Each structure stands twice: as C-alpha cells, then as structure tokens.
Coordinates of all heavy atoms in Angstrom, one line a residue:
M1 N 0.8 -1.2 0.0 CA 0.0 0.0 0.0 C 0.8 1.2 0.0 O 0.6 2.2 -0.8 CB -0.9 0.0 1.2 CG -1.8 1.2 1.3 SD -3.0 1.5 2.5 CE -2.9 0.3 3.7
L2 N 1.9 1.3 0.9 CA 2.8 2.4 0.9 C 3.5 2.6 -0.4 O 3.7 3.7 -0.9 CB 3.8 2.3 2.1 CG 4.8 3.4 2.2 CD1 4.2 4.8 2.4 CD2 5.7 3.1 3.4
K3 N 3.9 1.4 -1.0 CA 4.6 1.5 -2.3 C 3.8 2.1 -3.3 O 4.2 3.0 -4.1 CB 5.1 0.1 -2.6 CG 5.7 0.1 -4.0 CD 5.9 -1.3 -4.5 CE 6.4 -1.3 -6.0 NZ 6.5 -2.7 -6.5
E4 N 2.5 1.8 -3.4 CA 1.6 2.3 -4.4 C 1.4 3.8 -4.2 O 1.4 4.6 -5.2 CB 0.3 1.6 -4.4 CG 0.3 0.2 -5.0 CD 0.9 -0.8 -4.0 OE1 1.0 -0.6 -2.8 OE2 1.3 -1.8 -4.5
N5 N 1.3 4.3 -3.0 CA 1.2 5.7 -2.7 C 2.4 6.5 -3.1 O 2.3 7.5 -3.8 CB 1.0 6.0 -1.2 CG -0.4 5.5 -0.8 OD1 -1.3 5.3 -1.6 ND2 -0.6 5.3 0.6
L6 N 3.6 6.0 -2.9 CA 4.8 6.6 -3.3 C 4.9 6.7 -4.8 O 5.4 7.6 -5.4 CB 6.0 5.9 -2.7 CG 6.1 6.0 -1.2 CD1 7.2 5.1 -0.7 CD2 6.4 7.4 -0.7
L7 N 4.6 5.5 -5.5 CA 4.6 5.5 -6.9 C 3.6 6.5 -7.6 O 3.9 7.0 -8.6 CB 4.4 4.1 -7.4 CG 5.5 3.1 -7.1 CD1 5.2 1.7 -7.6 CD2 6.8 3.5 -7.8
S8 N 2.5 6.7 -6.9 CA 1.5 7.6 -7.5 C 2.1 9.1 -7.4 O 1.9 9.9 -8.3 CB 0.1 7.5 -6.8 OG 0.2 8.0 -5.5
I9 N 2.8 9.4 -6.3 CA 3.4 10.7 -6.2 C 4.5 10.8 -7.2 O 4.6 11.8 -7.9 CB 3.9 10.9 -4.7 CG1 2.8 10.9 -3.7 CG2 4.7 12.2 -4.6 CD1 3.2 10.8 -2.3
L10 N 5.3 9.8 -7.4 CA 6.3 9.8 -8.4 C 5.8 10.1 -9.8 O 6.3 10.9 -10.5 CB 7.0 8.4 -8.3 CG 8.1 8.2 -9.3 CD1 9.4 8.9 -9.0 CD2 8.4 6.7 -9.4
A11 N 4.7 9.4 -10.1 CA 4.0 9.7 -11.4 C 3.6 11.1 -11.5 O 3.8 11.8 -12.6 CB 2.9 8.7 -11.6
A12 N 3.0 11.6 -10.5 CA 2.4 13.0 -10.6 C 3.6 14.0 -10.7 O 3.5 14.9 -11.5 CB 1.7 13.4 -9.3
L13 N 4.7 13.7 -10.1 CA 5.9 14.6 -10.2 C 6.5 14.5 -11.6 O 7.2 15.4 -12.1 CB 6.9 14.3 -9.1 CG 6.6 14.8 -7.7 CD1 7.6 14.4 -6.7 CD2 6.5 16.4 -7.7
G14 N 6.3 13.4 -12.2 CA 6.8 13.2 -13.7 C 6.1 14.2 -14.5 O 6.7 14.8 -15.4
E15 N 4.8 14.3 -14.3 CA 4.1 15.4 -15.1 C 4.6 16.8 -14.8 O 4.8 17.6 -15.8 CB 2.6 15.3 -14.7 CG 1.9 14.1 -15.1 CD 1.8 13.9 -16.6 OE1 1.5 14.9 -17.3 OE2 2.0 12.8 -17.1
V16 N 4.9 17.1 -13.6 CA 5.5 18.4 -13.2 C 6.8 18.6 -13.9 O 7.1 19.6 -14.5 CB 5.6 18.5 -11.7 CG1 6.3 19.8 -11.4 CG2 4.2 18.6 -11.1
Q17 N 7.6 17.5 -13.8 CA 9.0 17.6 -14.4 C 8.9 17.8 -15.9 O 9.7 18.6 -16.5 CB 9.7 16.3 -14.1 CG 11.2 16.3 -14.6 CD 11.9 15.0 -14.2 OE1 11.3 14.1 -13.6 NE2 13.1 14.9 -14.7
G18 N 8.0 17.1 -16.5 CA 7.9 17.3 -18.0 C 7.4 18.6 -18.4 O 7.7 19.2 -19.5
N19 N 6.7 19.4 -17.6 CA 6.2 20.7 -17.9 C 7.2 21.8 -17.4 O 6.8 23.0 -17.6 CB 4.8 20.9 -17.4 CG 3.8 20.1 -18.0 OD1 4.0 19.8 -19.2 ND2 2.8 19.6 -17.3
T20 N 8.2 21.5 -16.6 CA 9.1 22.5 -16.1 C 10.1 22.9 -17.1 O 10.8 22.1 -17.7 CB 9.8 21.9 -14.9 OG1 8.8 21.5 -13.9 CG2 10.7 22.9 -14.2
K21 N 10.2 24.2 -17.4 CA 11.1 24.8 -18.4 C 12.4 25.2 -17.7 O 13.5 25.2 -18.3 CB 10.5 26.0 -19.1 CG 9.2 25.6 -19.8 CD 8.8 26.8 -20.6 CE 7.5 26.6 -21.4 NZ 7.0 25.3 -21.7
N22 N 12.4 25.5 -16.4 CA 13.6 25.9 -15.6 C 14.4 24.6 -15.3 O 13.9 23.7 -14.6 CB 13.2 26.6 -14.3 CG 14.3 27.1 -13.5 OD1 15.2 26.4 -13.3 ND2 14.2 28.3 -13.1
E23 N 15.7 24.6 -15.7 CA 16.5 23.4 -15.5 C 16.8 23.1 -14.0 O 16.8 22.0 -13.6 CB 17.8 23.5 -16.3 CG 18.7 22.3 -16.2 CD 18.0 21.0 -16.5 OE1 17.2 21.0 -17.5 OE2 18.2 20.0 -15.8
E24 N 16.9 24.3 -13.2 CA 17.1 24.0 -11.7 C 16.0 23.3 -11.1 O 16.1 22.4 -10.3 CB 17.5 25.3 -11.1 CG 18.8 25.9 -11.4 CD 19.0 27.2 -10.6 OE1 18.4 27.4 -9.5 OE2 19.9 28.0 -11.1
Q25 N 14.8 23.8 -11.5 CA 13.6 23.2 -10.9 C 13.4 21.7 -11.4 O 13.0 20.9 -10.7 CB 12.3 24.0 -11.3 CG 12.3 25.3 -10.6 CD 11.1 26.2 -11.0 OE1 10.4 25.8 -11.9 NE2 10.9 27.3 -10.3
A26 N 13.7 21.5 -12.7 CA 13.6 20.1 -13.2 C 14.6 19.2 -12.5 O 14.2 18.1 -12.2 CB 13.9 20.2 -14.7
A27 N 15.8 19.7 -12.2 CA 16.8 18.9 -11.4 C 16.3 18.6 -10.0 O 16.5 17.5 -9.5 CB 18.1 19.6 -11.4
L28 N 15.6 19.6 -9.4 CA 15.1 19.4 -8.1 C 14.0 18.3 -8.1 O 14.0 17.4 -7.3 CB 14.6 20.7 -7.5 CG 13.9 20.6 -6.1 CD1 14.9 20.2 -5.1 CD2 13.3 22.0 -5.8
V29 N 13.1 18.4 -9.1 CA 12.0 17.4 -9.2 C 12.6 16.1 -9.5 O 12.1 15.1 -9.0 CB 10.9 17.9 -10.3 CG1 9.9 16.8 -10.5 CG2 10.3 19.1 -9.8
R30 N 13.6 16.0 -10.4 CA 14.2 14.8 -10.7 C 14.8 14.0 -9.5 O 14.7 12.9 -9.3 CB 15.3 14.9 -11.7 CG 15.9 13.7 -12.4 CD 16.8 14.0 -13.6 NE 17.4 15.3 -13.7 CZ 17.0 16.2 -14.5 NH1 15.8 16.2 -15.2 NH2 17.6 17.4 -14.5
G31 N 15.5 14.9 -8.6 CA 16.0 14.4 -7.4 C 15.0 13.8 -6.4 O 15.2 12.8 -5.8
C32 N 13.9 14.5 -6.3 CA 12.8 14.1 -5.6 C 12.2 12.8 -6.1 O 11.9 11.8 -5.3 CB 11.6 15.2 -5.5 SG 12.1 16.7 -4.6
R33 N 12.1 12.7 -7.4 CA 11.6 11.4 -8.0 C 12.5 10.3 -7.7 O 12.1 9.2 -7.5 CB 11.3 11.7 -9.5 CG 10.2 12.6 -9.7 CD 9.8 12.7 -11.2 NE 9.1 11.5 -11.6 CZ 9.3 10.8 -12.7 NH1 10.3 11.1 -13.5 NH2 8.7 9.7 -12.9
D34 N 13.8 10.5 -7.8 CA 14.8 9.4 -7.5 C 14.7 8.9 -6.0 O 14.6 7.8 -5.8 CB 16.2 10.0 -7.7 CG 16.5 10.2 -9.2 OD1 15.8 9.6 -10.1 OD2 17.5 10.8 -9.5
N35 N 14.5 9.9 -5.1 CA 14.3 9.5 -3.7 C 13.0 8.8 -3.5 O 13.0 7.8 -2.8 CB 14.3 10.8 -2.8 CG 15.7 11.4 -2.7 OD1 16.7 10.8 -2.9 ND2 15.7 12.7 -2.4
L36 N 11.9 9.2 -4.2 CA 10.6 8.5 -4.1 C 10.8 7.0 -4.6 O 10.2 6.1 -4.1 CB 9.5 9.2 -4.8 CG 9.0 10.4 -4.0 CD1 8.1 11.3 -5.0 CD2 8.2 10.0 -2.9
R37 N 11.5 6.9 -5.8 CA 11.7 5.6 -6.4 C 12.4 4.7 -5.3 O 12.0 3.5 -5.1 CB 12.4 5.6 -7.6 CG 12.4 4.4 -8.4 CD 13.1 4.6 -9.8 NE 12.3 5.5 -10.7 CZ 12.6 6.8 -11.0 NH1 13.8 7.3 -10.6 NH2 11.9 7.4 -11.8
A38 N 13.4 5.2 -4.7 CA 14.2 4.4 -3.7 C 13.3 4.0 -2.5 O 13.3 2.9 -2.0 CB 15.5 5.1 -3.3
A39 N 12.5 5.0 -2.1 CA 11.6 4.8 -0.9 C 10.6 3.8 -1.3 O 10.2 2.9 -0.4 CB 11.0 6.1 -0.5
A40 N 10.1 3.8 -2.5 CA 9.0 2.8 -2.9 C 9.7 1.4 -2.9 O 9.1 0.4 -2.5 CB 8.5 3.1 -4.3
E41 N 10.9 1.2 -3.3 CA 11.7 -0.1 -3.3 C 11.8 -0.5 -1.8 O 11.6 -1.6 -1.5 CB 13.0 0.1 -4.0 CG 12.9 0.2 -5.4 CD 14.2 0.5 -6.1 OE1 15.2 0.4 -5.5 OE2 14.2 0.8 -7.4
Q42 N 12.2 0.4 -1.0 CA 12.3 0.0 0.4 C 10.9 -0.4 1.1 O 10.9 -1.4 1.9 CB 12.9 1.2 1.2 CG 14.4 1.4 0.9 CD 14.9 2.7 1.6 OE1 14.1 3.5 2.2 NE2 16.2 2.9 1.5
A43 N 9.9 0.4 0.7 CA 8.6 0.0 1.2 C 8.2 -1.3 0.8 O 7.5 -2.1 1.6 CB 7.6 1.1 0.7
E44 N 8.4 -1.7 -0.5 CA 8.1 -3.0 -1.0 C 8.8 -4.1 -0.2 O 8.2 -5.1 0.2 CB 8.4 -3.1 -2.5 CG 8.1 -4.5 -3.0 CD 8.4 -4.6 -4.5 OE1 9.4 -3.9 -5.0 OE2 7.7 -5.3 -5.2
A45 N 10.1 -3.9 0.1 CA 10.9 -4.9 0.8 C 10.3 -5.0 2.2 O 10.2 -6.1 2.7 CB 12.4 -4.5 0.9
L46 N 9.9 -3.9 2.8 CA 9.3 -3.9 4.2 C 8.0 -4.6 4.2 O 7.7 -5.5 5.1 CB 9.2 -2.5 4.7 CG 10.5 -1.9 5.2 CD1 10.1 -0.4 5.6 CD2 11.1 -2.5 6.4
E47 N 7.1 -4.3 3.2 CA 5.8 -4.9 3.1 C 5.9 -6.4 2.8 O 5.1 -7.2 3.4 CB 5.0 -4.3 2.0 CG 4.6 -2.8 2.4 CD 4.0 -2.0 1.2 OE1 4.0 -2.5 0.1 OE2 3.4 -0.9 1.5
N48 N 6.9 -6.8 2.1 CA 7.1 -8.3 1.8 C 7.5 -9.1 3.0 O 7.3 -10.2 3.1 CB 8.0 -8.5 0.6 CG 7.5 -8.0 -0.7 OD1 6.2 -7.9 -0.8 ND2 8.3 -7.8 -1.6
N49 N 8.2 -8.5 3.9 CA 8.8 -9.1 5.0 C 7.9 -8.9 6.4 O 8.4 -9.3 7.4 CB 10.2 -8.6 5.3 CG 11.1 -9.1 4.3 OD1 11.0 -10.3 3.8 ND2 12.0 -8.3 3.8
L50 N 6.8 -8.2 6.1 CA 6.0 -7.9 7.4 C 5.0 -9.0 7.6 O 4.0 -9.1 6.9 CB 5.3 -6.6 7.1 CG 4.5 -6.0 8.3 CD1 5.4 -5.8 9.5 CD2 3.7 -4.7 7.9
A51 N 5.2 -9.8 8.7 CA 4.2 -10.8 9.1 C 3.4 -10.1 10.1 O 3.8 -9.5 11.0 CB 4.9 -12.0 9.7
V52 N 2.0 -10.3 9.9 CA 1.1 -9.6 10.8 C 0.4 -10.6 11.7 O 0.1 -11.7 11.4 CB 0.0 -8.9 9.9 CG1 -1.0 -8.3 10.8 CG2 0.7 -7.9 9.1
V53 N 0.3 -10.3 13.0 CA -0.4 -11.1 14.0 C -1.6 -10.3 14.5 O -1.5 -9.1 14.8 CB 0.6 -11.3 15.2 CG1 -0.2 -12.0 16.3 CG2 1.7 -12.2 14.7
S54 N -2.8 -10.9 14.5 CA -4.0 -10.3 15.0 C -4.1 -10.8 16.4 O -4.0 -12.0 16.8 CB -5.2 -10.8 14.2 OG -6.4 -10.3 14.7
V55 N -4.4 -9.8 17.3 CA -4.5 -10.1 18.8 C -5.8 -9.7 19.3 O -6.2 -8.6 19.1 CB -3.3 -9.3 19.5 CG1 -3.5 -9.5 21.0 CG2 -2.0 -9.7 19.1
D56 N -6.4 -10.6 20.0 CA -7.7 -10.3 20.8 C -7.4 -10.6 22.2 O -7.1 -11.8 22.5 CB -8.9 -11.0 20.2 CG -9.2 -10.5 18.8 OD1 -9.4 -9.3 18.6 OD2 -9.4 -11.4 17.9
L57 N -7.6 -9.7 23.1 CA -7.4 -10.0 24.5 C -8.6 -9.5 25.3 O -9.1 -8.4 25.1 CB -6.1 -9.2 25.0 CG -5.8 -9.2 26.5 CD1 -5.5 -10.5 26.9 CD2 -4.7 -8.2 26.7
T58 N -9.1 -10.3 26.2 CA -10.2 -10.0 27.1 C -9.8 -10.4 28.5 O -9.3 -11.5 28.7 CB -11.5 -10.7 26.7 OG1 -11.7 -10.3 25.4 CG2 -12.6 -10.1 27.6
T59 N -10.0 -9.5 29.5 CA -9.7 -9.8 30.8 C -10.7 -9.1 31.7 O -11.2 -8.1 31.4 CB -8.2 -9.5 31.2 OG1 -8.0 -9.9 32.6 CG2 -8.0 -8.0 31.1
E60 N -11.0 -9.7 32.9 CA -11.9 -9.1 33.8 C -11.4 -7.8 34.5 O -12.1 -6.9 34.7 CB -12.4 -10.1 34.8 CG -13.2 -11.2 34.2 CD -13.8 -12.2 35.2 OE1 -13.7 -11.9 36.5 OE2 -14.2 -13.3 34.8
E61 N -10.1 -7.9 34.9 CA -9.5 -6.8 35.7 C -8.1 -6.8 35.5 O -7.4 -7.8 35.4 CB -9.8 -6.9 37.1 CG -9.4 -5.7 37.9 CD -9.8 -5.9 39.4 OE1 -11.0 -6.0 39.6 OE2 -8.9 -5.8 40.3
A62 N -7.5 -5.6 35.4 CA -6.0 -5.4 35.3 C -5.7 -4.2 36.2 O -6.5 -3.3 36.3 CB -5.6 -5.1 33.8
E63 N -4.5 -4.3 36.7 CA -4.0 -3.2 37.6 C -2.6 -2.7 37.2 O -1.8 -3.6 36.9 CB -4.1 -3.6 39.0 CG -3.7 -2.5 40.0 CD -3.8 -3.0 41.4 OE1 -4.9 -2.9 41.9 OE2 -2.7 -3.4 42.0
L64 N -2.4 -1.5 37.1 CA -1.2 -0.9 36.7 C -0.8 -0.1 38.0 O -1.4 0.9 38.3 CB -1.2 0.0 35.5 CG 0.0 0.8 35.0 CD1 1.1 -0.2 34.8 CD2 -0.3 1.7 33.9
A65 N 0.4 -0.4 38.5 CA 0.9 0.3 39.8 C 2.3 1.0 39.4 O 3.1 0.4 38.8 CB 1.0 -0.6 40.9
V66 N 2.5 2.2 39.8 CA 3.7 3.0 39.6 C 3.9 3.5 41.0 O 3.5 4.6 41.4 CB 3.5 4.1 38.6 CG1 4.8 4.8 38.4 CG2 3.0 3.6 37.3
P67 N 4.7 2.7 41.8 CA 4.9 3.1 43.2 C 5.7 4.5 43.4 O 5.4 5.2 44.3 CB 5.7 2.0 43.8 CG 5.5 0.8 42.9 CD 5.2 1.5 41.6
A68 N 6.6 4.8 42.4 CA 7.4 6.0 42.5 C 6.4 7.3 42.5 O 6.7 8.2 43.0 CB 8.4 6.1 41.4
L69 N 5.3 7.1 41.8 CA 4.3 8.2 41.7 C 3.2 8.1 42.6 O 2.2 8.8 42.5 CB 4.0 8.3 40.3 CG 5.0 8.6 39.2 CD1 4.4 8.6 37.8 CD2 5.6 9.9 39.4
E70 N 3.2 7.0 43.4 CA 2.1 6.6 44.2 C 0.8 6.6 43.4 O -0.3 7.2 43.7 CB 1.9 7.6 45.4 CG 3.1 7.6 46.3 CD 3.0 8.6 47.5 OE1 1.8 9.1 47.7 OE2 4.0 8.8 48.2
L71 N 0.9 5.9 42.3 CA -0.2 5.8 41.3 C -0.6 4.4 41.2 O 0.2 3.5 41.0 CB 0.2 6.4 40.0 CG -0.7 6.4 38.9 CD1 -2.0 7.2 39.1 CD2 -0.1 6.8 37.6
R72 N -1.9 4.1 41.2 CA -2.5 2.8 41.0 C -3.7 2.9 40.1 O -4.7 3.6 40.6 CB -2.8 2.1 42.3 CG -3.3 0.7 42.1 CD -3.4 0.0 43.5 NE -2.3 0.1 44.4 CZ -1.3 -0.8 44.3 NH1 -1.2 -1.7 43.5 NH2 -0.2 -0.6 45.1
L73 N -3.7 2.3 38.9 CA -4.9 2.4 38.1 C -5.4 1.0 38.0 O -4.8 0.0 37.8 CB -4.5 2.8 36.6 CG -3.8 4.2 36.5 CD1 -3.3 4.4 35.1 CD2 -4.9 5.2 36.8
T74 N -6.7 0.9 38.1 CA -7.5 -0.4 38.0 C -8.5 -0.2 36.8 O -9.2 0.8 36.8 CB -8.1 -0.8 39.3 OG1 -7.1 -0.8 40.3 CG2 -8.8 -2.2 39.1
A75 N -8.6 -1.2 36.0 CA -9.6 -1.2 34.9 C -10.3 -2.6 34.9 O -9.7 -3.6 35.3 CB -8.9 -1.0 33.6
R76 N -11.6 -2.5 34.6 CA -12.4 -3.7 34.6 C -13.0 -3.9 33.2 O -13.3 -3.0 32.5 CB -13.5 -3.6 35.7 CG -12.9 -3.7 37.1 CD -14.0 -3.6 38.1 NE -13.5 -3.8 39.5 CZ -12.8 -2.9 40.2 NH1 -12.5 -1.7 39.6 NH2 -12.4 -3.1 41.4
D77 N -13.4 -5.2 32.9 CA -14.0 -5.6 31.7 C -13.2 -5.0 30.5 O -13.8 -4.3 29.7 CB -15.5 -5.1 31.6 CG -16.3 -5.8 32.7 OD1 -16.0 -7.0 32.9 OD2 -17.2 -5.2 33.2
I78 N -12.0 -5.3 30.4 CA -11.1 -4.8 29.4 C -11.2 -5.8 28.1 O -11.1 -6.9 28.2 CB -9.6 -4.8 29.9 CG1 -9.6 -3.9 31.1 CG2 -8.7 -4.3 28.8 CD1 -8.3 -4.0 31.8
K79 N -11.3 -5.1 27.0 CA -11.3 -5.8 25.7 C -10.4 -5.0 24.7 O -10.5 -3.8 24.5 CB -12.7 -5.9 25.1 CG -13.5 -6.8 25.9 CD -14.9 -6.9 25.3 CE -15.8 -7.8 26.2 NZ -17.1 -7.5 26.2
V80 N -9.3 -5.7 24.2 CA -8.3 -5.0 23.4 C -8.2 -5.9 22.2 O -8.1 -7.2 22.3 CB -7.0 -4.9 24.1 CG1 -5.9 -4.3 23.2 CG2 -7.1 -4.1 25.4
S81 N -8.1 -5.3 21.0 CA -7.8 -6.0 19.7 C -6.9 -5.1 18.9 O -7.0 -3.9 19.0 CB -9.1 -6.5 19.1 OG -9.8 -5.4 18.6
G82 N -6.2 -5.8 18.1 CA -5.4 -5.0 17.1 C -4.6 -5.9 16.2 O -4.5 -7.1 16.4
V83 N -3.8 -5.3 15.3 CA -3.0 -6.0 14.4 C -1.5 -5.4 14.5 O -1.4 -4.2 14.5 CB -3.4 -5.9 12.9 CG1 -2.5 -6.6 12.0 CG2 -4.8 -6.3 12.8
F84 N -0.6 -6.3 14.8 CA 0.7 -5.9 15.0 C 1.7 -6.7 14.1 O 1.4 -7.8 13.8 CB 1.1 -6.1 16.4 CG 0.2 -5.5 17.5 CD1 -0.8 -6.2 18.0 CD2 0.4 -4.2 17.8 CE1 -1.7 -5.6 18.9 CE2 -0.5 -3.6 18.8 CZ -1.5 -4.3 19.3
P85 N 2.8 -6.1 13.9 CA 3.9 -6.9 13.2 C 4.3 -8.0 14.1 O 4.4 -7.8 15.3 CB 5.1 -5.9 13.0 CG 4.5 -4.6 13.1 CD 3.3 -4.7 14.1
A86 N 4.6 -9.2 13.6 CA 4.9 -10.4 14.4 C 6.2 -10.1 15.1 O 6.2 -10.6 16.3 CB 5.1 -11.5 13.4
R87 N 7.1 -9.4 14.6 CA 8.4 -9.1 15.3 C 8.1 -8.4 16.6 O 8.7 -8.7 17.6 CB 9.3 -8.3 14.4 CG 10.7 -8.1 15.0 CD 11.5 -7.2 14.1 NE 11.2 -5.8 14.4 CZ 10.7 -5.0 13.5 NH1 10.6 -5.4 12.2 NH2 10.4 -3.8 13.8
A88 N 7.2 -7.5 16.6 CA 6.9 -6.7 17.8 C 6.3 -7.5 18.9 O 6.6 -7.3 20.0 CB 5.9 -5.5 17.4
I89 N 5.5 -8.5 18.5 CA 4.8 -9.4 19.4 C 5.9 -10.3 20.1 O 6.0 -10.5 21.3 CB 3.8 -10.3 18.8 CG1 2.6 -9.4 18.3 CG2 3.2 -11.3 19.8 CD1 1.9 -8.5 19.3
R90 N 6.9 -10.8 19.3 CA 7.9 -11.7 19.7 C 8.8 -11.0 20.7 O 9.3 -11.5 21.7 CB 8.7 -12.2 18.6 CG 8.0 -13.3 17.8 CD 9.0 -14.1 16.9 NE 9.6 -13.2 15.8 CZ 9.0 -12.9 14.7 NH1 7.8 -13.5 14.4 NH2 9.5 -12.1 13.9
E91 N 9.0 -9.6 20.5 CA 9.9 -8.8 21.3 C 9.3 -8.7 22.7 O 10.0 -8.6 23.7 CB 10.2 -7.5 20.7 CG 11.2 -7.6 19.6 CD 11.4 -6.3 18.8 OE1 10.8 -5.3 19.2 OE2 12.1 -6.3 17.8
V92 N 8.0 -8.5 22.8 CA 7.3 -8.3 24.0 C 7.1 -9.6 24.8 O 7.3 -9.6 26.0 CB 5.9 -7.7 23.8 CG1 5.1 -7.7 25.1 CG2 6.0 -6.3 23.2
M93 N 7.0 -10.7 24.1 CA 6.7 -12.0 24.8 C 8.0 -12.6 25.1 O 8.7 -12.9 25.7 CB 6.1 -13.0 23.9 CG 4.8 -12.5 23.3 SD 3.6 -12.8 24.5 CE 2.1 -13.1 24.2

C-alpha cells in the first residue's frame, strides 16, 4: 500500500517535471523522484517481510501500579484487539 502511494506521487511529479522549463527546478524534481523511487523499493521490501499477527485480549480486571508516583490504576472488563507486526509481538513476549 505504501509503495503504491509513493509511486503515484512519483508519477504526478513526472508530469510536473515534464512541464518545467527551468532546469534548476527540473533537477530538483528529478532528485525528488529518485528519492521516491528508492523509498518505494524500500517500502516494497518492508511490506514483503511484514508478518502480521492479530491479537484479541479480554480480561476481567487489570491493575497498573507505579509506586514512585504513588499511582495505581485499575480497569475492569477490558477488551483489546489490534494488528501488530509479528516481530513486535515476539519482542514483548
């Protein structure tokens, strides 16, 4: 998804570059397009290596205590769900 967004910006800047008569501006746009092309390649590599884990967690009660601040938070009937990169889940567990 990110790759496609970057490539669409790259294409739009191609139109701008083609209509630019000033060589300095054309060079600037060309540099931006080169950077976008590289970013799109990096995004593709990241997207291909991103394993996603879906997490659903339900608990009756949880307590978070921070003794240094004399703070204690209690929550009841907690439901959490989300999608995370698998690497992030492995690092926490």
